[in-house]
Amino acid sequence: MPATVVVGTQWGDEGKGKFTDLVAKEMELVVRYQGGHNAGHTIVVDGESFALQLVPSGILYDHITPVIGNGVVVDPVVLLAEIDMLEGQGVDCSRLKVSGNAHLILPYHQEIDAITERHLGKNKLGTTKRGIGPAYADKATRVGIRVQDLLDPKIFRAKLDLVLKEKAPLLAKVYNRLPPDPDEIAARYLDECLPRLEPYIADTVTLVHDALDAGRHVLLEGAQATFLDLDHGTYPFVTSSNPVAGGACTGAGVGPLYIDRVIGIAKAYITRVGAGPFVTELHDDVGDLLVDRGHEYGTNTGRRRRPGWFDAVMARQAVRLNSLSEVALTKLDVLDTLDTLKVCVAYEADGERYEHLPYHQSTLHDCTPVYEELPGWQTDLSGITERHELPAAARDYVAFLEAQIGVPISLVGVGPGRDQFLHFAA
Ligand code: GDP
Ligand code: IMO
Ligand code: MG
């Protein structure tokens, strides 16, 4: 059975958690393929809110095996706290599997992330300070420590001692911090975390392929988003992994021919957390209204998200980069009270018009948006359950976006609740 990918098409927080949960209903395995606890995915079921960072969004269904794939970076302390929180909310996490090949986030990663941001001063990226970049950097320079290393204390300790040969002087001499204590780290991760983590550790590639071979439905869940992608995002204002659909292949261990459906999640407007270019950014009352009505504050860090109008240039690029087969449009209801809506259909810079993203980032920094205006609907959409009940202006807005993006909009969100969505495919 082929696999489906869910991917963010903007700068994150599009509502991937809610729509992964929705699509997951028909799946048997949900695999997170990249990122770490920089993600914050909120799912609301019967008024109760579940805030996920590392645990895949399929966890709320008993029939699903949630899998943390090899492409994820895992802080075991955070993962165990998240499991405790979910179990406290009555969610059974015993089915969870964590790839032995996933890399660990250790305390020095988090510390280096925070210090690097501080040293960058006004050029800081606005990372989540979760140690994501430093952990992926260690993976790339081959001094990372993997989840499976915890299973062999001698190997864990040898790798830790080796990597601390570089990190200890870096922290002590360059950054004037206390060097990490290997005994303390070993005690915390081997003695405290491992006994609880061990039952979850698995060969997830075999698990995924056994499921695919048995004809089971597999969902590959992306965190972050296309324009935070290390290769394709607005570098350096990106995360350190590959959220694009291609990242699902490496991060879960499946070849591209297994994937036959790629669902892009797009907000009906855009937000961004952290620094970086943002062509349609709003610094006015409309922006404030989007933040207020959309509750645009990070699930994870509590930071105010930067708001802006929908950007079709970015959406078209997301179609290309991910082979999107469809788009799920979220938070249409947030626009309910506006008189007029704007959609960015192209960019302009130096008298030139760009229908597609300019490759040179200096050009992107100079781009101004070319907007088309559409009428608002001034109707509360939150209770609507069928497409035909939508006011004509709301239907027209969705149809306009669909024409601009170039792929069908299959689902539309009208509220945070699990049932607040409309089937939209023709
Ligand atoms: P993710 O990181 O992509 O999973 O998104 P977040 O969970 O960080 O942010 C999306 C927020 O919007 C969450 O609080 C969701 O509960 C909420 N949400 C999702 N879909 C909708 C929708 O259609 N309408 C409204 N009003 N809220 C939504
Ligand atoms: P979800 O999965 C929004 C942003 C950070 C920062 C940049 C790099 O909830 O959509 P990092 O800590 O990853 O090194 O930070 O990426 N960022 C996110 N923005 N949603 C996310 O996740 C994000 N994860 C990272 O704000 O700009
Ligand atoms: Mg989020």
Side-chain angles (χ1 to χ4, degrees):
M1 186 63 71
T4 298
V5 177
V6 168
V7 60
T9 62
Q10 299 163 339
W11 280 299
D13 304 323
E14 296 91 348
K16 295 177 294 294
K18 172 185 162 167
F19 279 82
T20 302
D21 166 77
L22 206 65
V23 179
K25 201 170 165 186
E26 304 141 24
M27 305 285 164
E28 280 150 280
L29 235 74
V30 176
V31 189
R32 256 288 293 276
Y33 60 80
Q34 46 66 237
H37 65 299
N38 48 349
H41 302 161
T42 303
I43 306 173
V44 181
V45 183
D46 298 330
E48 188 176 3
S49 200
F50 298 87
L52 306 173
Q53 292 186 273
L54 274 164
V55 174
S57 301
I59 189 74
L60 302 183
Y61 297 101
D62 287 341
H63 69 278
I64 285 176
T65 305
V67 177
I68 295 179
N70 56 276
V72 177
V73 281
V74 178
D75 182 331
V77 177
V78 173
L79 177 60
L80 293 170
E82 190 173 326
I83 291 171
D84 287 343
M85 181 201 69
L86 286 167
E87 300 226 314
Q89 289 184 279
V91 179
D92 172 19
C93 293
S94 60
R95 294 157 286 120
L96 180 70
K97 303 289 174 208
V98 182
S99 169
N101 284 354
H103 278 246
L104 293 172
I105 297 184
L106 292 163
Y108 49 85
H109 292 128
Q110 205 139 328
E111 202 172 357
I112 292 170
D113 196 354
I115 294 172
T116 311
E117 280 287 272
R118 213 173 311 137
H119 277 244
L120 283 170
K122 68 176 177 42
N123 295 318
K124 71 175 183 184
L125 306 177
T127 75
T128 58
K129 298 183 188 159
R130 302 297 199 248
I132 306 295
Y136 277 117
D138 279 2
K139 176 178 177 177
T141 54
R142 291 150 294 173
V143 291
I145 303 181
R146 296 188 290 176
V147 168
Q148 61 172 293
D149 296 327
L150 290 167
L151 299 171
D152 187 332
K154 267 202 202 126
I155 295 264
F156 180 84
R157 190 55 202 246
K159 290 192 172 186
L160 184 63
D161 288 340
L162 188 70
V163 73
L164 288 187
K165 271 193 187 157
E166 177 217 342
K167 306 291 179 203
L170 174 75
L171 281 163
K173 293 188 181 146
V174 180
Y175 295 130
N176 208 17
R177 311 282 296 193
L178 285 176
D181 177 351
D183 292 333
E184 206 178 292
I185 296 177
R188 185 151 193 214
Y189 291 85
L190 293 175
D191 302 342
E192 287 175 34
C193 292
L194 180 60
R196 289 199 56 205
L197 198 64
E198 193 164 356
Y200 302 110
I201 302 174
D203 170 2
T204 59
V205 170
T206 299
L207 201 72
V208 169
H209 282 272
D210 284 350
L212 289 166
D213 291 348
R216 303 214 168 90
H217 288 79
V218 174
L219 182 66
L220 307 173
E221 178 189 10
Q224 288 82 52
T226 303
F227 293 94
L228 288 173
D229 185 276
L230 183 58
D231 288 77
H232 299 289
T234 44
Y235 192 90
F237 304 102
V238 293
T239 193
S240 302
S241 66
N242 289 114
V244 293
C249 293
T250 52
V254 297
L257 293 182
Y258 280 103
I259 297 167
D260 77 338
R261 187 181 176 199
V262 182
I263 308 173
I265 312 296
K267 231 180 253 197
Y269 49 99
I270 296 200
T271 59
R272 168 165 214 168
V273 202
F278 188 166
V279 176
T280 65
E281 184 166 14
L282 290 167
H283 298 282
D284 58 8
D285 292 351
V286 176
D288 289 342
L289 181 140
L290 294 176
V291 170
D292 282 355
R293 285 188 53 82
H295 306 292
E296 298 296 355
Y297 294 91
T299 322
N300 198 327
T301 57
R303 290 180 291 175
R304 183 185 193 271
R305 297 172 182 154
R306 298 157 61 193
W309 292 117
F310 188 89
D311 185 334
V313 179
M314 285 172 65
R316 287 193 281 272
Q317 184 79 348
V319 171
R320 288 178 163 180
L321 293 171
N322 297 295
S323 298
L324 297 185
S325 44
E326 64 199 90
V327 162
L329 190 72
T330 65
K331 302 188 111 169
L332 189 65
D333 55 296
V334 172
L335 306 178
D336 280 357
T337 58
L338 291 164
D339 293 337
T340 307
L341 308 171
K342 291 186 188 177
V343 176
C344 171
V345 295
Y347 297 161
E348 258 173 19
D350 292 328
E352 218 176 303
R353 184 180 164 103
Y354 294 87
E355 307 275 342
H356 288 283
L357 212 71
Y359 94 93
H360 200 303
Q361 200 150 314
S362 302
T363 312
L364 185 67
H365 282 272
D366 289 337
C367 280
T368 52
V370 178
Y371 285 124
E372 290 219 10
E373 291 195 3
L374 288 93
W377 43 88
Q378 285 144 346
T379 310
D380 176 6
L381 302 186
S382 64
I384 288 181
T385 54
E386 301 288 339
R387 172 189 176 165
H388 66 82
E389 295 166 15
L390 280 177
R395 274 205 303 270
D396 289 349
Y397 182 73
V398 177
F400 185 80
L401 295 192
E402 191 172 62
Q404 286 290 323
I405 300 169
V407 298
I409 291 179
S410 54
L411 296 163
V412 173
V414 290
R418 198 185 239 177
D419 304 326
Q420 289 179 295
F421 76 96
L422 315 170
H423 282 292
F424 230 78

